[in-house]
Amino acid sequence: QKEVEQDPGPLSVPEGAIVSLNCTYSNSAFQYFMWYRQYSRKGPELLMYTYSSGNKEDGRFTAQVDKSSKYISLFIRDSQPSDSATYLCAMSRTGNQFYFGTGTSLTVIP
Amino acid sequence: KAGVTQTPRYLIKTRGQQVTLSCSPISGHRSVSWYQQTPGQGLQFLFEYFSETQRNKGNFPGRFSGRQFSNSRSEMNVSTLELGDSALYLCASSLGSSLYGYTFGSGTRLTVV
């Protein structure tokens, strides 16, 4: 069983839609959670960072962590064509070695 | 401010050869981590270096090795290449700990034929 599971999609939504991206994990010791966005032929870039459980909002992006269910989510409001990318969740026990999901491919159609 | 620079961007090698990849972190960043990215497995942690010392290591065979120099630049070496080593190799830097996230380079695309 993989440490982190992520639905690969692909996910296709119209511009302006709310997008929900999710990951589940098996290691209850994970306490650092991140979301990265990766455009084609580029390295991942950090979008959101959360520690332990709870919600965090940054502009159109909201990250949620539910440690009791071992489930994390990223919500994108008012999605834009420029949001079209692969989204990767990542998590860590110590903050020095991260386990990544395989990524969800998102396309926002104008 | 310059980002994380990885060279070369693309590489084609023959099975059995060895290869060295290079990474220059963001100025002031002392931690460098390496990840292998493949479509089926996603990003998998190789190792992390901090102040020229390997601080963490993932579950890769000994053919994969790395080092870090006093200027924080890092190199990764893969010996006796196998077809399954074909992947995007990503270098990521952070100040001291990756608690607040990495800055990734654009990667080196290695193809083993």
Side-chain angles (χ1 to χ4, degrees):
Chain A
Q1 184 189 5
K2 281 187 178 179
E3 298 265 12
V4 180
E5 298 281 355
Q6 184 175 10
D7 186 339
L11 195 57
S12 185
V13 301
E15 183 175 353
I18 296 175
V19 176
S20 172
L21 304 166
N22 312 293
C23 289
T24 58
Y25 62 94
S26 56
N27 190 340
S28 58
F30 287 150
Q31 51 182 347
Y32 301 97
F33 303 92
M34 298 185 183
W35 285 94
Y36 285 84
R37 177 176 61 195
Q38 186 173 24
Y39 291 112
S40 180
R41 285 189 267 278
K42 296 284 190 183
E45 59 176 323
L46 182 66
L47 271 179
M48 299 285 286
Y49 154 78
T50 50
Y51 171 72
S52 195
S53 281
N55 296 356
K56 186 172 183 179
E57 189 172 319
D58 184 2
R60 297 185 294 111
F61 299 90
T62 300
Q64 287 185 351
V65 175
D66 182 348
K67 290 191 73 179
S68 62
S69 302
K70 298 195 189 72
Y71 189 87
I72 71 170
S73 301
L74 177 71
F75 297 95
I76 307 174
R77 289 183 300 281
D78 187 26
S79 54
Q80 302 295 309
S82 58
D83 294 328
S84 298
T86 296
Y87 289 80
L88 302 157
C89 62
M91 46 199 81
S92 173
R93 182 176 57 84
T94 61
N96 286 321
Q97 177 178 341
F98 278 81
Y99 294 85
F100 282 76
T102 50
T104 299
S105 175
L106 170 68
T107 301
V108 181
I109 303 167
Chain B
K1 189 176 180 181
V4 178
T5 303
Q6 290 189 247
T7 56
R9 286 297 307 275
Y10 301 92
L11 209 49
I12 300 176
K13 288 287 188 179
T14 303
R15 197 169 42 180
Q17 286 187 314
Q18 75 164 23
V19 67
T20 300
L21 313 181
S22 180
C23 171
S24 292
I26 289 175
S27 178
H29 282 195
R30 295 169 64 192
S31 170
V32 174
S33 298
W34 289 88
Y35 284 83
Q36 180 195 66
Q37 187 176 27
T38 58
Q41 298 295 319
L43 274 88
Q44 293 185 281
F45 176 77
L46 282 154
F47 29 66
E48 180 207 8
Y49 286 87
F50 178 81
S51 292
E52 301 178 66
T53 301
Q54 188 179 85
R55 189 159 67 174
N56 290 285
K57 188 177 188 306
N59 294 326
F60 277 81
R63 301 185 297 107
F64 292 82
S65 63
R67 59 178 176 167
Q68 186 180 34
F69 302 95
S70 58
N71 61 358
S72 293
R73 192 177 70 85
S74 178
E75 286 182 348
M76 190 194 110
N77 185 77
V78 188
S79 62
T80 319
L81 284 166
E82 300 176 0
L83 295 178
D85 296 334
S86 295
L88 181 68
Y89 289 89
L90 291 160
C91 167
S93 76
S94 57
L95 273 170
S97 159
S98 39
L99 276 181
Y100 302 104
Y102 297 115
T103 302
F104 280 91
S106 293
T108 294
R109 171 74 61 186
L110 171 65
T111 302
V112 182
V113 298

